[in-house]
Amino acid sequence: MITIAIANQKGGVGKTTTAINIATAMAATGWRTLLIDLDPQGNASTGMGVSADDRQRSTYDILVEEAPLADCIQETNIPGLDIVPATVDLSGAEVELVSVEDRTARLSSALANHTGHDICFIDCPPSLGLLTLNALGAADTLMVPLQCEFFALEGLSQLLQTVERVQQRFNPDLGIVGVVLTMFDRRNRLTDQVSDDVRDCLGGLVFDSVIPRNVRLSEAPSHGLPALVYDHGCSGSRAYIALARELIGRLPEKRKAA
């Protein structure tokens, strides 16, 4: 199973929207897909239509109680897409794990040798705390949603430094599959400027596909649906389909199950 953490310590950059829709797009192309909600806000779970009352087991149980991954996986309404939801209990996990010796490896241990899915996406919280470190320690690679604004560039620099530290201390094989430009508005000159700066700095690491500002992307979670299901033909959905196609081209084909 290929495990991809979707992370950026800056909030409001489209992490959860990207996690929901890229997971849906991958499932639609035939990949057995698992989405892990590691954000205490639980927005990915809500956006997939999993109500708070239906979250019997969660990522909290995996990290704190060391519950088996299989016991925490729930089916979604999307064929081929399963989820491990998050509950508000997860907000206390960092405090509860602070004295645990293997606190940064709990998620990695849970995912080890899992064969039920081809690919796993981890929706990380908007911070570089213990939850995100667990995700980076468990991931094969990292996808970074980046909003096209000035302050996002500073946050990207901090994230890349964190990735280097994780590589040195926890996960030497962690890579970066790509940076996704989100909330792209061609009418805004700053958007183009930030995009150009990021591409000049990171080159081919930046995906060609960009995610536009799109009202349908914002509306979909309130209906408990990915945008790809809520409005398959909107510009946001088409962008995520293109992103999934591009992502598949960057992944080692041999890792996909037959």
Side-chain angles (χ1 to χ4, degrees):
M1 183 175 72
I2 302 170
T3 303
I4 301 176
I6 300 178
N8 189 329
Q9 80 275 16
K10 189 177 186 303
V13 299
K15 282 190 304 296
T16 299
T17 299
T18 295
I20 290 171
N21 287 290
I22 194 66
T24 301
M26 293 298 287
T29 60
W31 290 61
R32 296 174 300 169
T33 305
L34 177 63
L35 175 59
I36 296 179
D37 190 350
L38 208 60
D39 188 341
Q41 297 177 83
N43 290 336
S45 306
T46 302
M48 290 302 305
V50 182
S51 69
D53 292 338
D54 292 333
R55 303 172 199 179
Q56 303 302 320
R57 305 297 294 273
S58 69
T59 46
Y60 173 86
D61 297 289
I62 290 175
L63 294 181
V64 177
E65 305 295 340
E66 294 187 285
L69 177 66
D71 291 351
C72 302
I73 294 175
Q74 297 182 212
E75 293 183 353
T76 72
N77 293 324
I78 309 300
L81 175 55
D82 298 322
I83 188 171
V84 179
T87 63
V88 69
D89 293 338
L90 193 60
S91 60
E94 296 199 25
V95 175
E96 295 181 56
L97 291 174
V98 71
S99 60
V100 177
E101 185 174 346
D102 63 342
R103 58 186 175 274
T104 61
R106 287 296 180 101
L107 186 58
S108 178
S109 298
L111 294 180
N113 303 317
H114 178 69
T115 58
H117 297 85
D118 302 318
I119 193 164
C120 170
F121 294 97
I122 307 173
D123 183 32
C124 297
S127 70
L128 294 177
L130 189 55
L131 296 177
T132 299
L133 286 179
N134 261 273
L136 297 182
D140 296 304
T141 191
L142 173 67
M143 177 182 286
V144 184
L146 184 71
Q147 186 179 357
C148 293
E149 63 171 32
F150 173 74
F151 290 118
L153 295 175
E154 291 186 342
L156 178 62
S157 175
Q158 296 173 15
L159 181 63
L160 295 178
Q161 292 173 11
T162 300
V163 170
E164 289 183 8
R165 289 195 291 269
V166 170
Q167 289 170 332
Q168 294 167 3
R169 298 184 58 186
F170 309 122
N171 186 359
D173 297 325
L174 178 65
I176 301 179
V177 72
V179 174
V180 186
L181 298 178
T182 62
M183 304 181 187
F184 196 90
D185 186 352
R186 296 191 182 280
R187 299 169 299 177
N188 188 333
R189 292 180 59 187
L190 179 61
T191 293
D192 286 323
Q193 182 179 339
V194 171
S195 174
D196 291 342
D197 288 346
V198 173
R199 293 186 187 279
D200 288 343
C201 178
L202 300 177
L205 199 59
V206 184
F207 285 102
D208 292 332
S209 305
V210 298
I211 310 302
R213 285 192 179 275
N214 180 239
V215 67
R216 306 300 266 177
L217 288 178
S218 302
E219 291 174 351
S222 66
H223 296 271
L225 294 170
L228 274 73
V229 176
Y230 179 64
D231 187 347
H232 182 76
C234 73
S235 61
S237 294
R238 294 197 304 270
Y240 276 114
I241 292 170
L243 177 63
R245 192 176 299 121
E246 195 174 350
L247 173 63
I248 291 171
R250 296 191 180 196
L251 296 176
E253 185 63 26
K254 64 181 180 180
R255 297 290 294 277
K256 184 184 177 185

